[in-house]
């Protein structure tokens, strides 16, 4: 039953791609970004504020790093995702987002001092080829003569920002609980998003936007992270990470059934290549860890 935790988390985050697309027609991206974290912080404050006040002297030296993490993961990544929903499909958004684990592997080289094996490089080439095949609608040479679509380009930047967020989160290990860290990032993100929200033409959300804000603010920003942390505690980070490869499958299925998006052959082929490449990079990490463990055993 514990495997339901990462599985349900993936379903929630996969559904968030659909919410991003639906929100593009119901609320301005600037307002959606703000209200998502406004609701999340409103719910988390009764549980987290007292801890933040007690541990303020511990938190204070890390404020600059927490603010930068909030900028990458909660402001740029999510805001770009909402803006991308204006000009690209939920299927494309999900497949581009699935590159995050692969991008994290390559960013770990300069930021964490990790090594990349030939297998990881092969996985990266396969995943990028799949992405080019999908975005070029089956034409691998499409980008030689044409530029990438605006929404797809924004999603590539968003995925890069989130990959950097994940790697820096590992690099900057802070003596704070997960919820304190999430709460502080959310508060700082809300401050950064306020000027963007004030620039909106309509400051108050419409009735149509309320359930979308509820899903993004509660399910995707509070419930899913809680289940993900519990899953990591129970089955480990490596086992949990493998479930993330199901997210584009969930999102594309929901896009076809709920939004009526047409799934073409190039979506399936490109998506298969992307997921295969990402899995290769994750298998490399697992194998490298097992090899290190065996070497230590032999030494003992």
């Amino acid at each position: 039953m514990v495997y339901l935790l990462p599985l349900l988390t993936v379903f929630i985050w996969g559904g968030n791609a659909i919410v991003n697309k639906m929100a593009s027609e119901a609320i301005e991206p600037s307002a959606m970004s703000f209200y998502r974290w406004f609701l999340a912080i409103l719910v988390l404050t009764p549980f987290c504020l007292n801890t933040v006040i007690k541990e303020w002297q511990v938190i204070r030296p890390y404020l600059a790093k927490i603010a930068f993490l909030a900028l990458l993961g909660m402001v740029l990544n999510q805001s770009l995702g909402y803006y991308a929903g204006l000009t690209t499909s939920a299927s494309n958004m999900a497949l581009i987002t699935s590159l995050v684990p692969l991008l994290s592997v390559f960013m770990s080289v300069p930021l964490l001092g990790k090594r990349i094996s030939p297998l990881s490089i092969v996985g990266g080439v396969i995943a990028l080829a799949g992405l080019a095949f999908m975005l070029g609608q089956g034409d691998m040479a499409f980008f030689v003569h044409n530029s990438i679509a605006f929404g797809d380009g924004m999603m590539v930047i968003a995925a890069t920002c989130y990959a950097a967020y994940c790697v820096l989160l590992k690099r900057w290990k802070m003596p704070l609980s997960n919820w304190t860290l999430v709460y502080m990032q959310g508060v700082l993100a809300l401050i950064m998003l306020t000027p963007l929200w004030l620039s909106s033409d309509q400051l108050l959300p419409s009735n149509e936007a309320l359930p979308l804000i509820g899903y993004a603010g509660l399910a995707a920003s509070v419930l899913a992270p809680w289940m993900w942390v519990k899953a990591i505690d129970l089955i480990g980070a490596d086992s949990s990470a493998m479930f993330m490869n199901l997210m584009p499958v969930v999102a594309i299925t929901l896009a076809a059934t709920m939004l009526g998006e047409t799934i073409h052959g190039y979506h399936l082929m490109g998506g298969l290549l992307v997921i295969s490449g990402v899995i290769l990079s994750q298998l490399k990490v697992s194998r490298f860890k097992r090899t290190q463990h065996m070497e230590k055993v032999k030494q003992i």
Side-chain angles (χ1 to χ4, degrees):
M1 293 296 291
V2 296
Y3 286 94
L4 284 176
L5 288 171
L7 186 61
L8 290 173
T9 303
V10 166
F11 269 87
I12 291 174
W13 280 336
N16 199 49
I18 310 305
V19 170
N20 284 6
K21 183 62 181 176
M22 295 173 67
S24 65
E25 300 177 359
I27 184 173
E28 291 178 72
S30 54
M32 182 65 183
S33 300
F34 174 84
Y35 280 114
R36 171 181 182 163
W37 282 107
F38 178 81
L39 178 59
I41 294 304
L42 191 66
V43 171
L44 289 175
T45 293
F47 304 98
C48 298
L49 183 58
N50 190 45
T51 301
V52 169
I53 293 173
K54 289 181 179 179
E55 299 181 357
W56 179 247
Q57 294 304 319
V58 179
I59 296 170
R60 187 174 178 179
Y62 299 98
L63 279 178
K65 291 180 178 179
I66 295 173
F68 190 68
L69 289 172
L71 176 65
L72 287 175
M74 299 178 178
V75 177
L76 292 176
N77 169 54
Q78 293 174 6
S79 296
L80 287 171
Y82 291 127
Y83 280 104
L86 297 171
T87 54
T88 192
S89 65
S91 302
N92 282 18
M93 294 167 70
L95 283 173
I96 294 172
T97 302
S98 69
L99 286 173
V100 168
L102 180 66
L103 292 171
S104 298
V105 169
F106 282 89
M107 286 185 181
S108 295
V109 175
L111 295 177
L112 300 180
K114 291 188 176 181
R115 297 178 180 179
I116 291 185
S117 71
L119 183 60
S120 181
I121 296 174
V122 171
V125 171
I126 292 173
L128 292 176
L131 184 64
F133 187 82
M134 181 199 68
L135 297 182
Q137 299 181 2
D139 180 10
M140 294 290 289
F142 177 83
F143 298 108
V144 176
H145 309 288
N146 301 275
S147 59
I148 188 171
F150 185 70
D152 293 332
M154 296 187 83
M155 281 307 302
V156 170
I157 298 173
T160 303
C161 287
Y162 195 68
Y165 168 85
C166 294
V167 175
L168 288 174
L169 200 58
K170 293 179 181 179
R171 181 185 174 108
W172 294 335
K173 293 181 179 179
M174 303 176 223
L176 305 173
S177 68
N178 290 323
W179 281 119
T180 299
L181 192 57
V182 169
Y183 180 76
M184 286 304 304
Q185 288 179 65
V187 170
L188 292 171
L190 195 61
I191 294 171
M192 297 179 204
L193 288 167
T194 299
L196 193 64
W197 168 62
L198 291 174
S199 69
S200 305
D201 293 331
Q202 184 178 345
L203 294 180
L204 297 178
S206 62
N207 292 333
E208 185 182 2
L210 291 178
L212 303 177
I213 294 172
Y215 186 96
L218 297 178
S221 299
V222 178
L223 180 60
W226 178 82
M227 290 194 297
W228 189 250
V229 170
K230 290 293 293 182
I232 290 174
D233 289 340
L234 292 171
I235 66 175
D238 291 341
S239 298
S240 299
M242 294 302 291
F243 279 86
M244 291 301 293
N245 297 310
L246 294 174
M247 193 174 72
V249 178
V250 172
I252 290 174
T253 302
L254 291 174
T257 55
M258 296 181 63
L259 302 179
E261 291 187 4
T262 302
I263 307 303
H264 298 280
Y266 56 78
H267 281 116
L268 299 177
M269 181 61 70
L272 182 61
L273 289 172
V274 168
I275 294 172
S276 298
V278 172
I279 290 176
L280 273 179
S281 70
Q282 292 173 313
L283 289 176
K284 184 276 303 180
V285 173
S286 298
R287 185 191 303 177
F288 179 69
K289 288 181 178 178
R290 286 197 300 269
T291 302
Q292 282 187 321
H293 177 70
M294 291 302 296
E295 288 176 352
K296 289 179 180 179
V297 171
K298 289 178 181 178
Q299 289 174 356
I300 294 173

